[in-house]
Amino acid sequence: MKITVIGAGYVGLVSGVCFSELGHEVICVDHIEAKVDMLNRGEVPIYEPGLQALIKANRERGRLRFSTDLRASIQPSEVIIIAVGTPSLPTGQANLSFIEQAAQEIGQAINGYKIIVTKSTVPVGTNERIRDIVAKCTSVPFDIASVPEFLREGTAVQDTMNPDRIVIGTDSPSVGQHLTTLHQSLTSNIIVTDIRSAEMIKYASNAFLATKISFINEIANICEKVGADVTKVAYGMGFDQRIGASFLKAGIGYGGSCFPKDTQALIQIAGQMDYDFKLLKSVVEVNRQQRFNVIRKLASLLGQLSGKTIGIWGLAFKPETDDVRDSPAFEIIAALSDMGAVVKAYDPIAADNFRYHCDVSGLIYCENAREAAWQSDALCILTEWEEFRQIPLSDIERWLKSPYLIDGRNIYEEEQLADTQLMYYSVGRPGMNRGVKETAPFIML
């Protein structure tokens, strides 16, 4: 098939590249000329394992092109995929201005029947709005559909090529069949439903996963009080098929481009329907508070943080990506700075992005992990990069001025600590903590 993808951001770029890998002719369109020029040079504006190699291979095969000319790009295409951003407004609602602009430009440009597919995460009813906008601009026939994405940054190529399921929302049986054919080489788990349900599936899925993360973090906080180990608790829970093991890893909370934005948007959607989504509001609040456990643990170890030097390992919201959107590091570093601490930070990939978005004055960016830890009063691990796992704890102990290590992602095990004098704090594993101890009270039933 001939496919045009509008938006060469994370979702659009990965989707377009993967469709070209499946043998389709793909043009990715973006209005940012510098980004398109970069892609046409074979460079990639995002860090995503495996993506650059696929771009190179499919450009050489003639199946993948990049352009700023939307009209010329969509006219030969059978399927037009909208994959533009839907960032949060100050109210928490999704900003649909890029969606609406894309719909208008499509309507002004189409020259024959097209299937217009929305892959961006959009509130329920948005695809109907897209249909109305396009219809006002053209008399050419077209159909719309919702095919939400479920990829994870850091494994986006793998997730796109090996999805758990494909959700297709349409009110046309022929469109459903056409899009099923487009995706059937990826998985047999293809769900064809109505458009509004497809839009809701995306929000509901992300809200549920965010809920699992906040839930296990609450369990971790209780584990610290009662002397249980959250990793063992999560392991035991995960064998229950009704629960599953995924997204039960305790830490300092979720971040990124999806969960924070989509949970807030769903709260707003519910509010517009005069429904108070109390559970999801609590999920969001728990996630925000979980970040500040790092500050509380530092204060319990060091007392006043003013004048103390704190090393930070990890600025991306998760490993294997340079995405820093809503990374816990922003609030943690800002709080440390406000308390008078000197902060030194290192991330193997995301430092430049963080520097661009961070307005904390005095933050020291380091070239390597050793530099961030060197002569620091404490070290905090905020992203579980594999590079950090490979560093011997004896090295960390030697580099630090004071032997305080806050492991916000639980990347170390007890046997690794055995031969060190590190004062260690992790999340929900009080048996491993060294330093200021939490005492487990006797609980009478």
Side-chain angles (χ1 to χ4, degrees):
M1 294 182 190
K2 294 182 177 181
I3 301 170
T4 294
V5 180
I6 301 176
Y10 224 106
V11 173
L13 183 58
V14 173
S15 298
V17 170
C18 288
F19 276 127
S20 71
E21 177 68 10
L22 294 174
H24 303 287
E25 295 181 39
V26 178
I27 305 175
C28 292
V29 184
D30 201 285
H31 72 281
I32 302 176
E33 190 170 343
K35 182 190 293 185
V36 171
D37 289 344
M38 177 184 291
L39 290 163
N40 280 323
R41 292 194 303 267
E43 301 172 14
V44 185
I46 58 174
Y47 178 82
E48 182 61 39
L51 186 60
Q52 187 165 25
L54 290 182
I55 289 175
K56 181 177 185 296
N58 286 288
R59 287 183 71 246
E60 291 174 351
R61 294 170 185 145
R63 296 198 297 237
L64 179 64
R65 292 189 289 130
F66 302 98
S67 176
T68 57
D69 190 338
L70 187 143
R71 178 180 291 272
S73 298
I74 71 173
Q75 288 187 347
S77 294
E78 303 164 69
V79 176
I80 302 168
I81 297 175
I82 300 175
V84 298
T86 55
S88 293
L89 292 166
T91 60
Q93 293 174 286
N95 183 346
L96 299 179
S97 61
F98 300 121
I99 291 281
E100 293 170 351
Q101 180 183 347
Q104 184 174 10
E105 292 180 5
I106 290 169
Q108 293 168 348
I110 58 174
N111 58 341
Y113 175 75
K114 311 288 182 186
I115 298 174
I116 302 170
V117 175
T118 304
K119 193 164 276 293
S120 305
T121 302
V122 294
V124 177
T126 300
N127 278 275
E128 294 165 17
R129 172 67 177 151
I130 291 171
R131 177 162 50 200
D132 291 343
I133 293 172
V134 175
K136 287 179 181 178
C137 299
T138 185
S139 58
V140 172
F142 65 91
D143 278 302
I144 62 167
S146 174
V147 183
E149 55 81 20
F150 298 98
L151 58 84
R152 298 166 296 172
E153 295 182 35
T155 57
V157 172
Q158 177 183 337
D159 291 346
T160 302
M161 301 299 286
N162 302 280
D164 293 327
R165 80 289 202 196
I166 298 292
V167 176
I168 298 170
T170 179
D171 53 12
S172 165
S174 64
V175 170
Q177 183 56 54
H178 197 84
L179 294 177
T180 296
T181 301
L182 176 62
H183 292 92
Q184 64 186 3
S185 63
L186 298 174
T187 180
S188 59
N189 296 327
I190 297 178
I191 302 155
V192 180
T193 185
D194 63 280
I195 292 174
R196 287 194 166 219
S197 294
E199 292 169 329
M200 191 64 178
I201 286 169
K202 169 64 177 187
Y203 276 114
S205 297
N206 277 359
F208 184 75
L209 295 176
T211 300
K212 286 188 76 173
I213 294 169
S214 284
F215 178 83
I216 200 62
N217 281 333
E218 289 279 71
I219 294 298
N221 294 338
I222 297 171
C223 284
E224 292 187 7
K225 302 293 185 183
V226 302
D229 185 326
V230 71
T231 59
K232 296 174 182 177
V233 172
Y235 181 75
M237 291 172 61
F239 280 96
D240 190 324
Q241 294 182 2
R242 298 167 300 175
I243 298 172
S246 62
F247 291 85
L248 286 180
K249 187 174 181 180
I252 55 174
Y254 58 77
S257 62
C258 292
F259 288 178
K261 174 173 69 72
D262 293 351
T263 49
Q264 290 288 359
L266 187 51
I267 289 168
Q268 290 298 318
I269 291 168
Q272 291 168 6
M273 298 296 105
D274 198 28
Y275 185 80
D276 185 9
F277 203 153
K278 296 177 182 177
L279 174 60
L280 198 54
K281 287 180 178 178
S282 295
V283 167
V284 171
E285 179 59 22
V286 166
N287 188 66
R288 185 172 185 276
Q289 289 300 317
Q290 191 70 14
R291 301 175 176 189
F292 293 109
N293 279 350
V294 170
I295 307 298
R296 288 188 281 268
K297 289 182 177 181
L298 281 172
S300 73
L301 292 168
L302 299 175
Q304 286 289 335
L305 297 180
S306 180
K308 297 293 196 299
T309 298
I310 309 298
I312 299 290
W313 282 2
L315 299 171
F317 85 95
K318 62 178 286 188
E320 300 302 327
T321 181
D322 62 351
D323 196 343
V324 300
R325 283 175 286 185
D326 208 55
S327 170
F330 281 110
E331 287 186 294
I332 291 169
I333 289 173
L336 288 171
S337 179
D338 289 344
M339 298 171 77
V342 176
V343 184
K344 302 192 298 180
Y346 167 71
D347 189 285
I349 297 296
D352 287 343
N353 275 355
F354 196 87
R355 189 196 309 263
Y356 180 79
H357 293 284
C358 182
D359 59 1
V360 174
S361 61
L363 174 58
I364 301 168
Y365 292 91
C366 299
E367 294 296 321
N368 53 58
R370 180 183 183 276
E371 184 182 345
W374 183 255
Q375 292 300 293
S376 291
D377 293 292
L379 175 66
C380 301
I381 299 172
L382 306 186
T383 312
E384 61 271 38
W385 285 99
E386 184 61 29
E387 174 183 332
F388 303 153
R389 297 179 190 274
Q390 300 303 317
I391 296 174
L393 288 177
S394 57
D395 286 354
I396 297 174
E397 182 180 10
R398 189 173 66 254
W399 296 340
L400 288 169
K401 178 181 178 181
S402 304
Y404 296 126
L405 176 59
I406 308 294
D407 183 359
R409 297 299 185 180
N410 289 356
I411 70 173
Y412 297 116
E413 299 299 332
E414 192 164 8
E415 55 269 23
Q416 295 173 279
L417 289 165
D419 296 328
T420 75
Q421 299 300 312
L422 286 168
M423 298 294 102
Y424 178 79
Y425 259 70
S426 58
V427 180
R429 302 187 296 175
M432 288 184 60
N433 290 349
R434 302 174 176 185
V436 179
K437 296 186 179 296
E438 300 259 6
T439 57
F442 176 75
I443 299 176
M444 182 175 292
L445 298 178

